[in-house]
Amino acid sequence: MALKTISAKAAAALDKDLMSTGAFSIDQLMELAGLSVSQVVYRVHPIQKGHRILVAVGPGNNGGDGLVAARHLRHYGYQPTIYYPKRSKNDLYQRLAKQLEDLEVPFVDDFPAALESTDHVVDAIFGFSFSGEVREPFPAVIQAMAKTKIPVTSVDAPSSWNIEEGPPKSGVGSSFYPDVLVSLTAPKPLVKYFKGRHFIGGRFVTPAIAKKYDFDLPAYEGIDQVVEVGPNGQKL
């Protein structure tokens, strides 16, 4: 049995449902998503493996998830560094960045240089709403993540991948295969092209919403916000 996935269009509609009938605010959803990402990093890259985490942050919601994850990682004892070249003017993102500045988390401008002195990378550049061309300055960043031997965890989608069709056939991102993927809310169709460790972080979705969008809620354990699944959706 293949893992049930939801399209980009359904994911956008589901988010709207969560924020309307579901009564969640975008801040809450971003907090829960970022917390899920931080728990995955803690699981796949325990602090003993190296405490330096480089978070590549895009201009939208995916980037916001990355900023939240970085704050939690800082509180867990890691030393995150943020690459955030296109800062949003939106109040929510400005507050998330301020929270990191107050924790003395450094923001850097040179991604390749930062990549040389980190132990793990979080790719929070583009999420399920990405389509079209990768714009500057991100092509070089995605190429650097594709080439590095340092493990990469992608948030919701490997940046540059098509949500339905997976990695681009050529050009930027065509050789980008991150080690770990955190599917937020529910997996997207691109997971069938993904070969690494796969986690689902959606411990805020109600059974009614899962039924409406026809996907299965995994069995989260204890205080875990995430669950690791295999290619067929079976729990690992």
Side-chain angles (χ1 to χ4, degrees):
M1 187 185 94
L3 185 62
K4 283 187 176 174
T5 61
I6 62 170
S7 68
K9 196 173 170 185
L14 193 161
D15 274 0
K16 279 204 177 109
D17 279 354
L18 285 169
M19 287 186 275
S20 55
T21 55
F24 281 94
S25 69
I26 188 162
D27 301 52
Q28 276 183 297
L29 292 174
M30 207 166 274
E31 189 64 31
L32 289 162
L35 178 62
S36 300
V37 173
S38 72
Q39 286 197 354
V40 169
V41 174
Y42 184 80
R43 199 178 295 189
V44 301
H45 189 88
I47 207 157
Q48 302 86 317
K49 278 189 173 180
H51 55 269
R52 301 169 304 174
I53 310 284
L54 176 58
V55 187
V57 175
N61 287 354
N62 200 253
D65 299 340
L67 294 172
V68 171
R71 169 164 34 82
H72 287 292
L73 289 166
R74 176 73 182 80
H75 286 304
Y76 302 163
Y78 293 88
Q79 288 184 336
T81 296
I82 314 295
Y83 173 76
Y84 188 18
K86 286 193 166 179
R87 290 205 184 201
S88 173
K89 302 275 191 290
N90 180 305
D91 173 64
L92 169 55
Y93 302 105
Q94 293 194 336
R95 286 187 286 112
L96 293 175
K98 169 76 164 64
Q99 290 159 15
L100 290 166
E101 286 159 3
D102 288 350
L103 288 168
E104 298 178 354
V105 171
F107 285 71
V108 295
D109 297 324
D110 187 337
F111 185 82
L115 193 55
E116 285 175 20
S117 55
T118 195
D119 303 303
H120 195 92
V121 180
V122 175
D123 158 32
I125 301 175
F126 301 124
F128 72 74
S129 55
F130 171 77
S131 62
E133 291 294 303
V134 177
R135 296 195 180 92
E136 294 298 338
F138 296 112
V141 175
I142 292 167
Q143 298 292 47
M145 291 193 296
K147 288 196 179 93
T148 186
K149 299 284 188 283
I150 295 160
V152 177
T153 293
S154 285
V155 177
D156 214 26
S159 290
S160 78
W161 281 33
N162 179 289
I163 302 311
E164 312 289 330
E165 293 156 19
K169 301 288 179 279
S170 61
V172 175
S174 55
S175 60
F176 178 38
Y177 287 87
D179 304 81
V180 181
L181 177 66
V182 190
S183 288
L184 296 170
T185 311
K188 316 305 181 287
L190 59 76
V191 296
K192 63 175 173 286
Y193 303 96
F194 178 73
K195 303 287 185 274
R197 292 180 70 179
H198 181 209
F199 293 81
I200 298 173
R203 204 173 186 176
F204 44 84
V205 178
T206 59
I209 281 187
K211 187 176 177 191
K212 177 177 176 179
Y213 290 92
D214 188 31
F215 64 90
D216 307 310
L217 288 177
Y220 297 97
E221 279 186 7
I223 59 172
D224 293 348
Q225 297 297 310
V226 294
V227 64
E228 186 167 7
V229 293
N232 298 323
Q234 78 277 17
K235 196 166 154 190
L236 295 178

